[in-house]
């Protein structure tokens, strides 16, 4: 199957032309994942965020490879697998083989981030580094060029429905400056507590892709909530 590319770029830039919304299945109804995918597709959201937790790096256990394989058969949208697991090298390429388009790993979970990123790319995926709220973006300076995107956590990973940590806005700006200085336009994703209140500001600060769980799936009308978030994100777009 020909997977839909996540965006069409005007140049060779890794950055998407328009802001991307990635609904997080963590907040979805796991007994109705197929229907939840249809809702995401109908809402205009362009990416599906899949939270993989191992009960060790984070205190929660969620889903793994077999579920990703099933999701792959059920949608052409890009699957964005956020691995909150220790020793991510053991599984990262497996997630690409299972159908993930993007795979991100936590810098805090891996003493060999460079090697794991290379394994993801080698398998054909887009490779991302995730930073917890307390990890400074400056720790990425010597990895620029080795990843396709950075995911900044705006909550402590492990659970959906937590409150957004506002200080992350400054991290987005600093990371945006870093990529301008380096001339390597990796894309910036933000995950945790994203809502109508902060979506515009995050895009304005330089974020390209926002993950949202509760703001979509716990809304009365999830499809309308996703569409509303996207609208807010477009408003934050820089000219
Ligand atoms: C948290 C996960 C997030 C989570 C976001 O560890 O990485 O993707 O699902 O959910 P909300 O948007 O509800 O904070
Ligand atoms: Zn996530």
């Amino acid at each position: 199957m020909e997977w839909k590319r996540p965006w069409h770029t005007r140049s060779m830039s890794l950055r998407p032309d328009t802001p991307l919304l990635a609904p997080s299945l963590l907040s979805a109804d796991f007994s109705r994942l197929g229907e939840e995918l249809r809702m995401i597709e109908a809402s205009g959201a362009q990416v599906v965020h899949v939270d993989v937790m191992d009960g060790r790096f984070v205190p929660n256990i969620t889903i793994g490879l077999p579920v990703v394989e099933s999701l792959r058969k059920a949608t052409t949208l890009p699957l964005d697998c956020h691995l909150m697991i220790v020793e991510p090298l053991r599984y990262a390429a497996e997630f690409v083989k299972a159908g993930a388009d993007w795979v991100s790993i936590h810098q805090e979970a891996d003493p060999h981030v460079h090697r794991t990123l290379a394994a993801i790319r080698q398998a054909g995926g887009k490779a991302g580094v995730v930073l917890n709220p307390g990890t400074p973006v400056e720790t990425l300076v010597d990895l620029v060029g080795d990843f396709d995107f950075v995911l900044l956590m705006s909550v402590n990973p492990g659970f959906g429905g937590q409150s957004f940590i506002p200080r992350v806005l400054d991290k987005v700006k600093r990371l945006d400056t870093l990529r301008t200085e380096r001339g390597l336009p990796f894309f910036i994703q933000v995950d945790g507590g994203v809502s109508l209140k902060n979506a515009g500001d995050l895009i304005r600060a330089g974020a390209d892709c926002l993950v949202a769980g509760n703001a979509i799936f716990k809304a009365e009308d999830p499809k309308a909530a996703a569409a509303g978030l996207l609208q807010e994100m477009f408003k934050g777009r820089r000219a």
Side-chain angles (χ1 to χ4, degrees):
M1 175 172 47
E2 176 66 21
W3 296 344
K4 227 189 252 172
R5 286 299 102 202
W7 55 77
H8 301 284
T9 47
R10 283 181 296 254
S11 61
M12 290 303 285
S13 166
L14 289 167
R15 297 191 62 189
D17 291 341
T18 56
L20 303 177
L21 177 62
S24 165
L25 290 181
L26 184 62
S27 302
D29 179 346
F30 281 18
S31 70
R32 300 172 42 252
L33 283 182
E35 290 163 57
E36 301 283 43
L37 287 172
R38 298 289 86 77
M39 181 282 290
I40 293 173
E41 288 163 354
S43 74
Q46 310 94 327
V47 181
V48 178
H49 187 78
V50 182
D51 287 303
V52 177
M53 306 188 188
D54 66 353
R56 293 191 62 209
F57 180 66
V58 288
N60 199 1
I61 299 179
T62 55
I63 59 184
L65 291 162
V67 176
V68 173
E69 274 170 26
S70 298
L71 294 171
R72 180 69 288 156
K73 290 185 206 138
T75 185
T76 56
L77 289 180
L79 295 177
D80 163 31
C81 289
H82 172 192
L83 304 190
M84 285 159 273
I85 63 175
V86 296
E87 298 181 55
L89 181 61
R90 291 178 62 191
Y91 295 102
E94 292 301 313
F95 275 91
V96 180
K97 285 183 205 146
D101 299 89
W102 310 355
V103 175
S104 56
I105 53 154
H106 272 259
Q107 197 193 53
E108 304 86 0
D110 193 349
H112 307 294
V113 174
H114 182 274
R115 178 179 291 153
T116 309
L117 292 171
I120 296 167
R121 282 180 160 180
Q122 179 83 30
K126 279 196 190 304
V129 186
V130 194
L131 301 184
N132 276 337
T135 307
V137 295
E138 287 72 18
T139 57
L140 292 170
V141 165
D142 293 303
L143 279 174
V144 171
D146 299 322
F147 52 77
D148 302 300
F149 67 104
V150 176
L151 168 48
L152 297 180
M153 290 307 302
S154 38
V155 297
N156 291 297
F159 304 96
Q162 303 182 78
S163 301
F164 179 79
I165 300 172
R167 208 187 288 180
V168 174
L169 267 172
D170 181 59
K171 286 178 81 172
V172 176
K173 288 181 193 156
R174 276 158 42 220
L175 192 55
D176 183 45
T177 304
L178 177 73
R179 74 176 157 187
T180 308
E181 282 169 6
R182 296 289 171 125
L184 280 170
F186 50 84
F187 64 98
I188 300 175
Q189 191 178 32
V190 178
D191 182 8
V194 168
S195 71
L196 283 175
K197 283 191 211 142
N198 50 41
D201 287 342
L202 284 165
I203 298 297
R204 219 165 284 123
D208 304 292
C209 177
L210 302 184
V211 176
N214 271 29
I216 294 173
F217 291 98
K218 304 298 180 213
E220 215 168 288
D221 182 343
K223 189 174 119 188
L229 263 177
L230 260 176
Q231 209 176 2
E232 205 53 36
M233 289 162 66
F234 270 74
K235 279 193 216 155
R237 225 160 24 137
R238 296 170 188 173

